[in-house]
Amino acid sequence: MSLSLFSRVCGLALTVAGVGVAHATEGQQLRALLGAPGQEMTVPQNPGLYGQLWYQHYEATRFLDGGGHRQAIDVGNGVEAERGGAIVANVVVPRLTYLSETYWGEGRLGVSATIPMIDLTAHTTLTGRFPTGFPDAMKPYVQAQLNAAAAGASDSTTAQGDMEIAPFIDFQDDTSRVILMTAFVVPTGDYNKDNVVNAGAGRFWTWRPGFVYGRAWDNGLEFGTRVTYSFNGVNSATHVRSGQYVHADYSLMYRYSDLWRFGLQGYAVKQFTKDTGPGVAADGNKAQTYALGPSVGYQSEDGEFAAELKVLPEFHARNRPEGTTSWLRLMFRLD
């Protein structure tokens, strides 16, 4: 083995952080609850205080680069290390929404607050891909170094995530709903730049303006979407600024009865500006992902309680994991 390859393999533990293990925007994760909105995008709400308790399970075993290929690290001398393993997240999301009787024009003023509680595990494997002519006797040694680096890039955490506060104006009529909002994500989550995984995204704020549009037709069809655009500050712990991205949730449901809805829901994320700062990859870690899957919703006759279950497989991911997001969502009126 050449000295160059030896030094690169021994230093791989420092390089592995670049493949996106950390739970942060700059680590190829997103500061967003993908797929969280549901039938409340289309169902009109009366003024009052509403509670939501959501549970998300996310699991991914594919880690893709900017070209949609499996992520790999260039170790040197033609050797690459392909990223494998799994990311598993279980998230409990308490949320409060208050819709007031106060009007601004024809819309009511309201505010929501969301604080996710996150249990996150990252298990990393690194498999050596060797060029033709690489000495067979050296492959086990190189793979042992990769295994050690992968073990150092595997960890878990259970902690509070970052809180989102979203003032909004709600315009409703008998068939449609439009909400204009400007959300702020506060860095309340547990975060340490030296950790492999974090519940918080980093030491920075995010400003997230957006809107919700929902429409219901007499034939039972309901369409809803929530679209936001995120502007991120500089992470004071790493001096990295994560890029700007659009995040859209969407729903097409059929109102089978006053109680039950069935249909499809999903989400789309597209990052438009590069991450900037020390150690950022040349492509700026520009992320994207899409998801679409089945959903079933229930709402009580008096409108005091609702529940929803959906499973959303991801596709066409870039610079991030690709897996499946599942949600169980409970909503109830508190006053």
Side-chain angles (χ1 to χ4, degrees), residues 195-216:
N195 290 349
V196 173
V197 293
N198 285 288
R203 302 299 182 202
F204 64 96
W205 287 60
T206 298
W207 176 47
R208 183 174 289 161
F211 68 89
V212 173
Y213 172 75
R215 176 70 187 271

Side-chain angles (χ1 to χ4, degrees), residues 19-326:
V19 303
V21 178
H23 186 69
T25 335
E26 64 209 53
Q28 302 178 346
Q29 292 286 348
L30 294 165
R31 194 184 227 178
L33 292 171
L34 303 180
Q39 59 193 48
E40 72 274 10
M41 293 187 290
T42 57
V43 177
Q45 285 183 301
N46 295 317
L49 180 64
Y50 296 85
Q52 293 106 25
L53 186 62
W54 304 340
Y55 168 70
Q56 179 203 52
H57 176 78
Y58 178 78
E59 187 165 347
T61 57
R62 285 167 48 86
F63 304 89
L64 304 181
D65 62 18
H69 309 293
R70 289 187 178 271
Q71 292 178 3
I73 302 169
D74 180 11
V75 178
N77 284 28
V79 179
E80 291 186 331
E82 183 178 297
R83 166 95 184 271
I87 285 182
V88 178
N90 293 289
V91 185
V92 176
V93 186
R95 186 171 188 261
L96 289 175
T97 299
Y98 177 67
L99 182 60
S100 74
E101 296 276 10
T102 303
Y103 281 85
W104 186 327
E106 297 183 359
R108 291 190 179 97
L109 299 180
V111 65
S112 67
T114 306
I115 306 179
M117 305 300 297
I118 300 171
D119 178 77
L120 177 65
T121 298
H123 171 65
T124 301
T125 63
L126 294 169
T127 303
R129 300 194 304 212
F130 301 96
T132 302
F134 192 90
D136 290 339
M138 302 308 300
K139 291 179 181 178
Y141 176 81
V142 175
Q143 186 58 56
Q145 298 300 309
L146 295 175
N147 293 343
S154 301
D155 204 354
S156 62
T157 188
T158 301
Q160 177 183 308
D162 297 320
M163 178 173 63
E164 181 186 86
I165 301 173
F168 62 85
I169 307 174
D170 189 349
F171 302 87
Q172 302 182 35
D173 58 31
D174 292 338
T175 61
S176 63
R177 186 178 194 187
V178 176
I179 299 174
L180 303 179
M181 61 185 174
T182 179
F184 300 89
V185 185
V186 187
T188 58
D190 186 67
Y191 178 82
N192 185 324
K193 68 180 181 65
D194 297 321
N195 290 349
V196 173
V197 293
N198 285 288
R203 302 299 182 202
F204 64 96
W205 287 60
T206 298
W207 176 47
R208 183 174 289 161
F211 68 89
V212 173
Y213 172 75
R215 176 70 187 271
W217 288 270
D218 292 338
N219 61 6
L221 284 179
E222 297 179 350
F223 170 77
T225 186
R226 180 184 188 267
V227 181
T228 63
Y229 193 87
S230 293
F231 299 87
N232 297 301
V234 176
N235 187 344
S236 62
T238 63
H239 308 292
V240 170
R241 182 191 295 273
S242 297
Q244 302 169 16
Y245 57 90
V246 65
H247 165 206
D249 295 285
Y250 38 83
S251 168
L252 182 62
M253 304 291 285
Y254 176 69
R255 190 172 62 256
Y256 178 77
S257 67
D258 290 340
L259 301 181
W260 293 97
R261 291 170 170 81
F262 303 91
L264 294 172
Q265 295 190 22
Y267 54 82
V269 174
K270 182 73 174 180
Q271 184 173 334
F272 287 99
T273 67
K274 295 181 178 181
D275 295 358
T276 58
V280 172
D283 68 352
N285 291 334
K286 292 176 70 173
Q288 76 169 37
T289 192
Y290 304 92
L292 183 66
S295 175
V296 57
Y298 169 83
Q299 181 171 333
S300 63
E301 290 186 10
D302 58 9
E304 301 291 303
F305 173 77
E308 192 170 46
L309 177 66
K310 50 189 168 181
V311 180
L312 311 176
E314 294 182 321
F315 55 94
H316 291 320
R318 298 292 184 270
N319 276 329
R320 58 169 280 110
E322 183 179 85
T324 299
T325 302
S326 302

